[in-house]
Amino acid sequence: MSTARTWSAGGDAGPFDVVGNRVLVGLQVVDISRLSTHPVPMISQGLVTVAGQGPKDSNGAGKSSLIAAVSLLHADEQWRLASGAAAAAELLFTAELAAQETRWSSVDRGYVIGVFADPSADTVAELSASALTVWLRINRKASHVHLRWHNGLHVPYGATESERAAGVDSLWDALPTSNGRTDFHANRLASVLYGSHVRCVSFLSTSVRSSPAANLLAQPLNDLDPRRIFDAISTLTGLDRELEQEQVLRSAEHTHRADVREATGDLDRWVQEMAVVEAGITRRVEARRLLGAAAAAWQARCARRFLDGVARTDEIQHDLKNLGVRAAELQVELSNAEDELAKLNDDEQLDRNFREVERSWKELTERDKQLDTAHQVAARRLEELAGEHRQFSDKARGADGRSVVTAQTEEADALTAVEQALGAKGVAEEAEERASKRLAAAESGEDVAAEELQALREEDIPAAPLLDVVQLDPDQRRDWEPRLVPYRGAIVIPRGRAGEARTKLAGQSGTATLVMADPPQPHAPTHSTSVPASADPRFDLSTFLSAIVDRAGAQPSEIDVAAGVLVVGEFAEPLTGRAARIAAARADHRGKADLLTKVEKILAAERRALSRAKTRTEAAAAAEKADSIVEKMSELRAANRGRDERRTALKPVLDAAHKAYAGVLGAKQAREERIGNLRSAEGRLKHELSEQDETKTKLTDERLALDLPGREAAWGDSPESAHRFLLALDAELHTRTTAWWNEETQHQVNEVVRRCFPDGTPHDEMPAEIRELLIEQRWQRGGLDVRIPLVPDLIRALLTHLNLTERHDLYEQRQIASQRAQRTGDLEAARQGLSEAEQTSQAHRASLALGIKARLKKVSDEFDRLDQRYGGYGAGLDYPEPEPPADSDRSWQWTVTPKWRRAEGQRMSGYNLRSNTAQMDEKAVKLVCAAALAGGGSRPLLLVLDELGRNLGKQHRREAVALFEQIGKDRDITVIGALQDDMERYAIEASGLYVKLRRRSDSMAYNEAPVIVGDEANRARVELLRDWLNSYRPADNESGEDTPGKGAE
Amino acid sequence: MTNVNAAHPVFEPILAELSEQHRDEVLAAFAAVEHSTQPVPEVQMPALRDATLRRDLQRLLHRVGRTLVPVGNARWTSGYRDDVAAELTAAGWNALPVIDRAVLVLVLIHSVAIPRSEGKLSGDSWISARPTTVSELLRYAQPGRGDVRTALRRLRAAGLVQLAPTRGRTAVGESAYLPGPQLHRLTPVARRVLQQELILAAAPQSPLAAAIRARRAHP
């Protein structure tokens, strides 16, 4: 249909511009905000005011939602249709927003249903014939907008709200899907319904507006830049399609340009790469030439080397022959020396003689030594004996002239006398000891019954000797001492303790005499003259002494008359008391001591006699020994004299033997020296021979090392041919040596290598064979000696490599040539295409510029006219023609600057000067209208204005409303405006259709039926439409009758 | 109105210059090339078709380090800019484990490099219709079979390989793999580098390799 939208997606195939010239005649919504489902008739020209009657004032009645639904239905770009119009979901009835969440739930989908018809249809029949019902289903979830349509009337019906709402889903389902198996979505809305013609310019209140997108009405005019203003105008006037055409051409141009750029870059890169390849090929061609030269040099080298080898072999042969002769001579000399040596070594006689002389000499020497030794031993023995003789002679002097026998007899006598004296001394000592003991006992009082007293004292029995207790006066001694003699050993004890004492003493050896004493008298003892007193107060012996007195006779010696006992004696000392007894003991002891002293003196004299006798005996023995020693010494002296004589006799024999020995020793040494000389001569000869051998081996080795067969093989022919070959070379080459040729060859081969594999070529890029030779065998690093053996292999390997690459190189060169031609051709073609495209694009742009300027001129004129007619002082547009874009993918950006006079007769000033908001809005509306009018399109236009005149003062509002009314009537423009309460009185008189949405209470979920009133001119039509819309009932056969998409095109 | 639809501030300077419709188209194309697994045919997207809008789209992508990549037959996708890719690689970013890279290289060699060297595949794309069978992958694989299979799964999830549709050629029950659609995202420079690396690795002695080395030595 439109030539402009050539690139419209699927535009050729699918339905396009379904609505066409038809205008909206009725609107019905289901579950959109809180709007009721009543059909709303719509007029196609002039002003439609939408007012509200909410619970308190006009707010909350759903005015904005209604006009938003209208703008969506007219595919206003503000809904961001290309992105799916997600904001449309905001239009759906939401229980929370309606404060009805307890009774109602939010809906998932709602419907906006628009009935379009021919504006000129005035009857039901005409309306029905031209009617097109467009359904938009709005979903809460993506995809948000679905489009279906139906030729003819197809709207929800029913007597009540709920009836209409209940049937809506089945009605939707009854519609055929619009896009084959699916429905068209928001992104195709504009193109399918309106063929991308702009049918609606809107300002929507912020509550439903999706974005503050650039839009002449949606934003204050001076917020927009001139480019955006041009965009808006071009959209309204249809210029955008022309511009799109330009853009398409520019795109084509760009594509060509990109092609050219790509082809150029491609060619450059290719040329660069191929330069490397070609350089490689050139190098290899050069390498092939060099390799030929190298091979020739190598051949010459082999020939020269072969000839050299032959010459050298001959020399060696000659040398070897000479060496053989000399060796034979040396051999003869050597065998002579060896013979002589054998003879010398074989002289048995001399050896035997030497051994004989030596043995006899040694024997004689031995004998002489023995004699000498014996002589010395005898001399030493003589010295010892002389010493002994002196010793014994001295001792013999003590014998006093006695012989041994006499001396021994005297000694035995002396010994006997000593023994007798010893016996006497023993007897005297014993007697003295006994007397000494008795004296000690008497002095210590223990001489009378000492043991018994001791025992009794241990038992604490008081006891004492009787003679100590009795006290005798000198008068009484004569009578009493004899009487007390029998009781000399008696012990006094108290009478009371006699039993205990008897028991104690029962076990004792010996006898004890006990005398009972009376207990002590308390008064002083009555000293009678007859009875001795008691010396110890513990004992009273009156009873005992009285008894003894009674028994005694008249004579002192008659002590017991009755028993007839007499004591005869002289008592010089008092018997009783201790002093008497001590004196007696001391006298006895003194007598015994004197006797002992006398005996000891006798003993000492006897001992001295014995000692003298012993000494004499020893001296006599020594005299005898001295005599025997003298005898022995004279014997030894005689033996020594005999020996001396024998040595003197031996001396001449010994001297002769020594002389003979010295003679044979000299002969022996001379012979050994001779042998040594012969041996060294032999060694020298042998050494010389081995040297000869070595030289021979060396020469033979050299001959082998020359590897004549190898050299011959390398040359490959006879020596004569090699000679001829060399002669055939240039004269100056004749004299060149093998070394020179070697140098030449390796240099050339190396050149070839460098051309095939330039320095820095990674090793793994070489063929394996060459890599082995160059790297592993160290060609690259090695010197001449390393390189030369590698030359033939390397030449062969390089030849193989170059032969292999030759075909490839040829192929590649052909390829390069053909590719170059092709690529250059491609580039040329691309350039051709580009220049054509550039020309086309330029030509189109030139004509388009004229068209755009003409169109903008019309808009400017219209703007001026409208402005002057509705309260302005004149206005216009500035639209300089922009330069063509530098890059073909940059847009050709036009700008439009609106301007107007601020007062009568003033110069026009730009729109972006600060101005009052009302004026901006007014000019914006005028500009939109002017653009729509100048567009010359036959399409009706809808201006949607929420909060119409929101910034205007009283007079301005009046003018604005008049403007809309007038414009609407004059042209194919419908203005839908939502009004604030206070605008109502201006609006009612000016508007062609008045719609009042009503909701009495906040408790109501949905609105009540709206009040819809047309003005005088439209009243009949409004009624007609209302009836017609309400009259719809589906025919039985209707389903599937029409297929959308076919009828439209 | 909703933040869901609001573009990121980084895009604002570019988007602000565009009209409502063009902005939508550019954003739609942006989303398509960035998130579609396959390249987007330009007939579907006005912003891809038109050079001017494409320029804006390119600028949009440029700001996030991406670039438009043309794929033959008038299709487009997006990939990392070469400078950004180089920088990321230098910084050590590499999403793939070694084993995955190895397996991917095997698939590329079997499906692309070998057919191309045989002359059965032209152009410089790394997409191919010649499947690499799993047995081929496992035959010479040094890592364990389990590792290779896991790697294949990961690569497939990443879109770097895809399962080949079964045809008569492959044995029954044996799955085969093709290079995945993500390889479309390689820029021409990246594709060329990949190709050169493969040549250098496979035929270092070839004149082609010599040319590549010479080019790299003297850029």
Side-chain angles (χ1 to χ4, degrees), chain A residues 7 77 80 82-83 86 90 210-211 213 228 247 250-251 254 269 272-273 276 764-766 808 812 889-891, chain B residues 1-2 5 16-18 20-21 23-24 46 49-52 54-55 192 204-205 207 210-211 213-215 218:
Chain A
W7 51 257
E77 274 299 331
R80 311 193 57 169
S83 319
E90 309 272 331
S210 65
S211 69
R228 195 53 52 75
Q247 199 161 335
R250 231 170 344 96
S251 270
H254 176 72
R269 201 166 51 242
Q272 215 173 347
E273 276 169 21
V276 177
D764 50 0
E765 288 164 25
M766 305 175 179
H808 188 259
E812 200 133 31
D889 58 350
R890 283 183 198 272
S891 55
Chain B
M1 177 173 185
T2 54
N5 286 327
E17 296 175 11
L18 299 171
E20 189 75 11
Q21 186 188 350
R23 178 203 299 239
D24 280 352
R49 209 159 43 220
D50 180 67
T52 314
R54 200 159 64 219
R55 179 190 170 86
R192 199 156 54 238
Q205 302 163 24
R213 275 192 298 276
R215 252 183 78 73
H218 311 288

Side-chain angles (χ1 to χ4, degrees), chain B residues 67-85:
Chain B
T67 186
L68 264 182
V69 179
V71 182
N73 300 330
R75 291 184 302 160
W76 298 84
T77 185
S78 62
Y80 278 110
R81 271 155 50 197
D82 292 320
D83 53 339
V84 171

Side-chain angles (χ1 to χ4, degrees), chain A residues 721-764:
Chain A
S721 72
H723 196 60
R724 277 200 302 277
F725 174 81
L726 285 176
L727 283 177
L729 292 176
D730 292 345
E732 55 157 342
L733 301 180
H734 290 172
T735 54
R736 286 184 175 169
T737 60
T738 310
W740 191 93
W741 282 117
N742 278 344
E743 184 68 38
E744 174 75 8
T745 312
Q746 71 87 10
H747 174 72
Q748 285 184 345
V749 171
N750 203 38
E751 282 300 305
V752 175
V753 168
R754 277 181 47 209
R755 277 173 172 70
C756 287
F757 308 102
D759 290 344
T761 309
H763 299 161
D764 50 0

Side-chain angles (χ1 to χ4, degrees), chain B residues 56-72:
Chain B
D56 292 324
L57 174 59
Q58 177 72 283
R59 286 166 64 205
L60 218 55
L61 286 165
H62 189 91
R63 293 185 81 89
V64 290
R66 311 275 291 175
T67 186
L68 264 182
V69 179
V71 182

Side-chain angles (χ1 to χ4, degrees), chain A residues 69-117:
Chain A
V70 171
S71 80
L72 179 63
L73 188 61
H74 282 82
D76 183 9
E77 274 299 331
Q78 270 197 80
W79 288 100
R80 311 193 57 169
L81 297 173
S83 319
E90 309 272 331
L91 287 177
L92 289 174
F93 173 77
T94 306
E96 286 86 349
L97 294 180
Q100 295 294 328
E101 58 268 39
T102 50
R103 282 180 59 207
W104 303 82
S105 60
S106 299
V107 295
D108 288 334
R109 55 178 178 264
Y111 298 89
V112 176
I113 301 146
V115 180
F116 292 86

Side-chain angles (χ1 to χ4, degrees), chain A residues 395-451:
Chain A
K395 219 182 228 179
R397 274 194 296 274
D400 296 341
R402 285 174 183 84
S403 72
V404 173
V405 179
T406 326
Q408 279 173 342
T409 314
E410 280 178 9
E411 191 185 343
D413 291 348
L415 192 60
T416 312
V418 165
E419 276 169 3
Q420 281 170 352
L422 275 175
K425 187 195 173 194
V427 172
E429 271 175 352
E430 199 181 343
E432 191 268 350
E433 197 174 333
R434 268 197 310 269
S436 170
K437 267 184 192 165
R438 269 198 309 274
L439 176 62
E443 280 172 349
S444 64
E446 300 291 331
D447 53 343
V448 179
E451 289 176 6

Side-chain angles (χ1 to χ4, degrees), chain A residues 59-381:
Chain A
N59 293 332
K63 301 190 298 283
S64 295
S65 300
L66 183 72
I67 62 174
V70 171
S71 80
L72 179 63
L73 188 61
H74 282 82
D76 183 9
E77 274 299 331
Q78 270 197 80
W79 288 100
R80 311 193 57 169
L81 297 173
S83 319
E90 309 272 331
L91 287 177
L92 289 174
F93 173 77
T94 306
E96 286 86 349
L97 294 180
Q100 295 294 328
E101 58 268 39
T102 50
R103 282 180 59 207
W104 303 82
S105 60
S106 299
V107 295
D108 288 334
R109 55 178 178 264
Y111 298 89
V112 176
I113 301 146
V115 180
F116 292 86
D118 195 332
S120 58
D122 286 336
T123 65
V124 171
E126 283 171 2
L127 283 170
S128 298
S130 65
L132 175 80
T133 313
V134 173
W135 284 63
L136 294 184
R137 181 156 97 166
I138 297 168
N139 298 311
R140 199 173 286 280
K141 292 175 184 161
S143 48
H144 295 289
V145 177
H146 285 210
L147 167 67
R148 288 183 188 180
W149 66 87
H150 177 77
N151 281 320
L153 194 60
H154 184 84
V155 294
Y157 56 91
T160 65
E161 278 285 298
S162 50
E163 269 182 54
R164 286 190 290 268
V168 70
D169 281 335
S170 58
L171 282 169
W172 169 265
D173 292 336
L175 289 173
T177 53
S178 54
N179 187 20
R181 277 183 293 177
T182 60
D183 291 321
F184 286 116
H185 296 165
N187 56 341
R188 301 284 304 277
L189 195 63
S191 107
V192 169
L193 287 181
Y194 308 110
S196 295
H197 289 277
V198 175
R199 291 288 296 259
C200 172
V201 181
S202 61
F203 163 71
L204 298 175
S205 80
T206 48
S207 65
V208 287
R209 185 175 60 188
S210 65
S211 69
N215 180 318
L216 285 177
L217 296 182
Q219 278 171 313
L221 195 56
N222 53 0
D223 279 1
L224 299 171
D225 68 1
R227 285 191 300 172
R228 195 53 52 75
I229 294 175
F230 172 81
D231 283 346
I233 292 174
S234 73
T235 317
L236 283 168
T237 53
L239 275 175
D240 57 338
R241 270 156 285 166
E242 309 276 345
L243 284 167
E244 274 161 13
Q245 172 71 14
E246 189 271 343
Q247 199 161 335
V248 169
L249 286 174
R250 231 170 344 96
S251 270
E253 183 193 333
H254 176 72
T255 313
H256 282 293
R257 197 178 293 276
D259 285 350
V260 168
R261 205 162 47 225
E262 201 173 322
T264 314
D266 200 27
L267 183 62
D268 285 351
R269 201 166 51 242
W270 181 82
V271 164
Q272 215 173 347
E273 276 169 21
M274 286 311 120
V276 177
V277 175
E278 282 182 321
I281 292 173
T282 318
R283 274 202 320 274
R284 279 192 287 279
V285 168
E286 180 71 10
R288 279 182 205 108
R289 191 183 59 71
L290 278 172
L291 191 62
W298 182 249
Q299 199 182 12
R301 177 260 183 194
C302 286
R304 168 55 65 201
R305 193 157 171 270
F306 179 44
L307 287 179
D308 287 354
V310 169
R312 180 64 187 146
T313 311
D314 290 348
E315 281 172 24
I316 289 169
Q317 200 72 37
H318 184 249
D319 287 354
L320 281 177
K321 207 187 281 171
N322 290 348
L323 279 176
V325 174
R326 172 73 184 137
E329 287 170 13
L330 286 173
Q331 201 68 45
V332 171
E333 278 179 38
L334 183 62
S335 64
N336 288 347
E338 277 171 351
D339 285 349
E340 202 169 338
L341 199 56
K343 266 183 222 153
L344 282 173
N345 276 337
D346 217 20
D347 202 348
E348 274 293 321
Q349 181 61 40
L350 188 68
D351 278 351
R352 204 159 47 242
N353 189 25
F354 174 74
R355 278 198 298 276
E356 190 68 29
V357 173
E358 190 183 38
R359 190 177 49 76
S360 73
W361 177 68
K362 277 185 180 161
E363 249 174 34
L364 288 171
T365 315
E366 191 65 28
R367 204 184 299 159
D368 185 47
K369 266 187 194 161
Q370 273 175 4
L371 288 172
D372 189 34
T373 310
H375 179 81
Q376 279 173 17
V377 168
R380 202 173 303 134
R381 178 69 187 142

